[in-house]
């Protein structure tokens, strides 16, 4: 069966009915609309993958409707225009605005099917290209031959065959995002988008628009829930969600619809939600920090991601993987980890888990020299942050004016903890006891880059 929802907009019932019947027989989901007003309603309700739009209609012409949709951002799908009296100028105007093609009436059914197929394929390739561009920067393979990693891969592949919401539980840096991507890649939604958002990186004032989008003076901004249509939305550190956003997300998940900020029409979207947490959500529920109803909705399937110390036999393979990763992706010089170094790292505590290992490999390739990584190098890098602070204190740190010394210390201190908490401003705020609004100002004032989405 072909995939895709097609909207047919034509004021002539016979033509509209015939086109709908043919496309339905071909396996498409087809919706009809007899005029501009009905077409607008259908776009909001069905989010079509393709629109067949008549140019000449009694209430308004298709060219004006196309222009309105494209300028407002109401559609992001290909549009094929149809007309029995189209001039060359009309066809040029339609294609200039962004129409995929113009079909003349009476429509050749063979040409209709070919054009529809090509338009949908073009849209798929466009979306896949964006998806590939995002994915190439991110690991989508769960590395390791240990029993725990074999079991994890098997569980994820089994879960991927169903569309239930999934809650990934594990320590920071243990690979929850990789597991979410692996789940998406093995699901029926693999050709759709994969969107990730860290709940703690979205400022409270922007969270509603970021998730649900907005409408203002006819201009539409699509939120994450709409952008994830047909794919997967990965919500990292879900416990950091603002209370108001928790309420709105709960409503959207319960009803399958939501309103954009400033909008009056319900938006329906179809996506799989995968959430992650580094703290027990049931504890957050008991503490009154997380809504119980939302916890139950997210908790359809819970999957534990093991910390690296529980599968440390995978350390040698992870080291090889990340050496290849940085050599091929970032053109860093190749270096080898001798067996003695691998053995030392197998017994290291890895409090930062796989993220810490990845960062270690990157630093050793950038800062080190020689084909082999030495044990002394590794020990030096693992204690690098503490040594840097000590060195700075013993050199010129105490010779600086108080204001400059304080700013330098604050910048080093905040950068260290921001990295420690994976870039999460919410977790950093909680850890150091600084109110989040003041922390945003402090980070900006010190020129510290963070992943906030305002």
């Amino acid at each position: 069966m072909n995939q895709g929802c097609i909207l047919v907009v034509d004021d002539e019932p016979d033509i509209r009915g015939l086109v709908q019947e043919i496309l339905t027989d071909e396996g498409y989901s087809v919706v009809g609309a007899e005029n501009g007003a009905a077409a607008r309603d259908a776009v909001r309700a069905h989010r079509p993958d393709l629109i067949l739009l008549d140019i000449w209609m009694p209430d308004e012409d298709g060219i004006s409707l196309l222009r309105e949709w494209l300028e407002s951002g109401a559609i992001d799908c290909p549009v094929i225009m149809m007309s029995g009296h189209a001039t060359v100028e009309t066809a040029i105007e339609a294609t200039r605005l962004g129409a995929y093609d113009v079909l003349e009436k009476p429509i050749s059914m063979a040409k209709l099917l070919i054009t529809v197929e090509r338009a949908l394929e073009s849209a798929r390739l466009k979306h896949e290209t964006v998806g590939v561009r995002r994915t190439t920067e991110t690991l989508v393979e769960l590395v390791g031959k240990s029993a725990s990693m074999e079991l994890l891969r098997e569980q994820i592949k089994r879960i991927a065959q169903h569309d239930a919401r999934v809650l990934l539980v594990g320590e920071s840096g243990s690979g929850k995002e990789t597991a979410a991507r692996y789940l998406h890649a093995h699901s029926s939604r693999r050709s759709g988008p994969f969107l990730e958002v860290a709940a703690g990186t979205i400022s409270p004032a922007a969270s509603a628009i970021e998730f649900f989008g907005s409408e203002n003076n006819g201009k539409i901004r699509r939120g994450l829930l709409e952008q994830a249509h047909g794919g997967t939305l990965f919500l990292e550190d879900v416990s950091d969600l603002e209370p108001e956003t928790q309420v709105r997300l709960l409503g959207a998940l319960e009803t399958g619809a939501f309103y954009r900020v400033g909008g009056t029409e319900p938006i329906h979207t179809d996506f799989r939600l995968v959430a992650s947490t580094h703290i027990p959500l049931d504890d957050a529920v008991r503490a009154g920090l997380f809504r119980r109803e939302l916890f139950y909705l997210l908790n359809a399937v819970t999957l534990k991601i093991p910390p690296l110390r529980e599968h440390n036999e995978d350390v040698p393979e992870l080291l090889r993987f990340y050496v290849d990763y940085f050599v091929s992706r970032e053109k860093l010089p190749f270096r080898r980890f001798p067996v003695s170094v691998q053995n030392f790292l197998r017994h290291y505590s890895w409090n930062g888990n796989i993220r810490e290992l990845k960062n270690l490999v990157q630093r050793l390739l950038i800062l080190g020299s020689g084909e082999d990584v030495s044990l002394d190098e590794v020990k030096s890098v693992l204690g690098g942050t503490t040594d840097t602070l000590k060195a700075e204190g013993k050199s010129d740190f105490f010779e600086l004016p108080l204001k400059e010394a304080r700013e330098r210390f604050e910048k080093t201190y905040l950068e260290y903890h921001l990295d420690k908490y994976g870039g999460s401003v919410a977790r950093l705020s909680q850890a150091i006891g600084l109110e989040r609004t003041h922390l945003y100002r402090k980070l900006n004032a010190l020129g510290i880059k963070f992943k906030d989405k305002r």
Side-chain angles (χ1 to χ4, degrees):
M1 291 286 280
N2 291 301
Q3 299 296 317
C5 174
I6 299 176
L7 171 61
V8 180
V9 186
D10 198 306
D11 64 301
E12 298 182 54
D14 291 344
I15 294 178
R16 188 173 69 250
L18 178 61
V19 171
Q20 284 186 252
E21 183 179 341
I22 291 170
L23 292 174
T24 301
D25 287 343
E26 291 296 315
Y28 297 103
S29 171
V30 188
V31 179
E34 67 277 11
N35 53 40
R40 290 187 185 91
D41 291 340
V43 164
R44 284 191 291 266
H46 299 283
R47 292 179 52 89
D49 300 291
L50 173 69
I51 299 174
L52 290 165
L53 178 59
D54 189 19
I55 291 179
W56 306 113
M57 295 184 291
D59 58 340
E60 60 186 309
D61 64 278
I63 298 290
S64 298
L65 193 55
L66 174 64
R67 181 184 291 109
E68 173 195 314
W69 279 337
L70 293 177
E71 288 180 353
S72 68
I75 61 171
D76 58 358
C77 65
V79 177
I80 298 172
M81 309 300 293
M82 304 182 295
S83 176
H85 309 284
T87 63
V88 174
E89 290 79 8
T90 305
I92 291 174
E93 173 73 0
T95 53
R96 184 185 65 79
L97 282 173
Y100 179 82
D101 203 347
V102 180
L103 297 179
E104 293 185 13
K105 296 179 182 178
I107 296 174
S108 162
M109 291 304 133
K111 185 174 182 180
L112 169 69
L113 294 177
I114 291 173
T115 306
V116 164
E117 185 176 345
R118 287 176 178 170
L120 288 169
E121 182 62 21
S122 175
R124 287 192 195 101
L125 289 173
K126 179 181 176 182
H127 291 148
E128 285 174 9
T129 300
V130 173
V132 168
R133 195 178 300 124
R134 290 173 181 165
T135 304
T136 52
E137 302 301 321
T138 309
L139 172 65
V140 292
E141 182 59 60
L142 291 166
V143 178
K145 295 184 173 65
S146 62
S148 60
M149 292 306 292
E150 293 281 9
L151 176 61
L152 181 62
R153 282 191 291 269
E154 180 186 330
Q155 289 175 324
I156 290 178
K157 288 178 181 178
R158 192 160 58 244
I159 293 169
Q161 305 312 307
H162 309 280
D163 223 19
R165 301 183 189 101
V166 180
L167 180 64
L168 303 175
V169 180
E171 295 178 8
S172 295
S174 58
K176 297 186 292 294
E177 179 194 338
T178 303
R181 290 182 177 274
Y182 191 80
L183 173 64
H184 173 74
H186 288 83
S187 73
S188 60
R189 297 177 178 272
R190 66 181 68 90
S191 61
F194 178 94
L195 272 68
E196 67 163 306
V197 58
T201 64
I202 299 178
S203 64
S207 63
I209 291 177
E210 192 70 33
F211 278 99
F212 307 105
S214 63
E215 293 183 29
N216 185 22
N217 295 326
K219 298 292 184 181
I220 294 174
R221 174 181 173 180
R222 299 181 191 280
L224 289 164
L225 270 59
E226 279 188 86
Q227 294 176 46
H229 180 71
T232 301
L233 175 62
F234 174 50
L235 187 52
E236 186 180 4
D237 291 329
V238 68
S239 59
D240 292 336
L241 275 181
E242 293 295 319
E244 184 179 344
T245 308
Q246 290 183 34
V247 174
R248 297 189 67 166
L249 182 60
L250 173 63
L253 295 177
E254 283 183 329
T255 64
F258 59 91
Y259 291 87
R260 301 188 188 107
V261 175
T264 57
E265 296 289 337
I267 306 299
H268 299 269
T269 185
D270 173 34
F271 63 92
R272 180 181 201 154
L273 181 63
V274 178
S276 76
T277 179
H278 65 284
I279 65 170
L281 272 190
D282 48 356
D283 288 349
V285 169
R286 282 191 289 270
L289 301 174
F290 200 81
R291 293 190 67 89
R292 185 178 301 275
E293 304 92 332
L294 182 57
F295 169 64
Y296 290 143
L297 275 178
L298 297 176
N299 199 27
V301 177
T302 299
L303 195 59
K304 184 180 183 297
I305 310 301
L308 183 52
R309 63 182 174 275
E310 291 184 6
H311 59 108
N312 56 6
E313 63 266 46
D314 292 323
V315 166
E317 186 176 352
L318 283 163
L319 292 171
R320 288 191 294 272
F321 176 87
Y322 280 114
V323 168
D324 292 341
Y325 178 92
F326 287 117
V327 169
S328 61
R329 302 284 177 87
E330 299 186 12
K331 310 304 178 188
L332 296 181
F334 174 83
R335 303 191 73 198
R336 189 172 66 89
F337 284 78
V339 172
S340 58
V341 177
Q342 293 182 34
N343 188 55
F344 171 79
L345 291 175
R346 276 193 61 173
H347 295 90
Y348 178 66
S349 59
W350 296 117
N351 293 324
N353 291 295
I354 294 174
R355 183 188 294 130
E356 184 181 4
L357 183 145
K358 178 182 177 182
N359 291 342
L360 172 69
V361 172
Q362 185 179 33
R363 290 187 65 180
L364 288 168
L365 296 187
I366 292 173
L367 300 175
S369 60
E371 185 177 338
D372 285 356
V373 175
S374 73
L375 187 56
D376 287 341
E377 273 186 279
V378 171
K379 291 179 178 179
S380 175
V381 171
L382 289 175
T385 305
T386 304
D387 292 344
T388 300
L389 289 171
K390 287 179 180 176
E392 190 167 298
K394 288 178 179 178
S395 57
D396 64 341
F397 187 79
F398 293 103
E399 305 304 321
L400 296 172
L402 177 61
K403 182 175 184 295
E404 187 177 341
R406 183 172 60 235
E407 287 180 354
R408 184 180 294 189
F409 168 76
E410 286 182 343
K411 189 171 190 296
T412 304
Y413 174 84
L414 291 173
E415 284 178 335
Y416 168 75
H417 283 284
L418 192 63
D419 182 65
K420 178 181 177 181
Y421 293 107
S424 171
V425 178
R427 290 163 60 193
L428 173 61
S429 169
Q430 188 176 29
I432 67 175
L434 185 62
E435 198 273 326
R436 204 187 304 184
T437 303
H438 297 313
L439 180 56
Y440 282 122
R441 295 197 191 103
K442 176 69 71 176
L443 293 171
N444 282 315
L446 294 172
I448 298 174
K449 294 181 179 179
F450 54 100
K451 297 184 290 184
D452 180 42
K453 297 180 180 178
R454 290 180 185 273

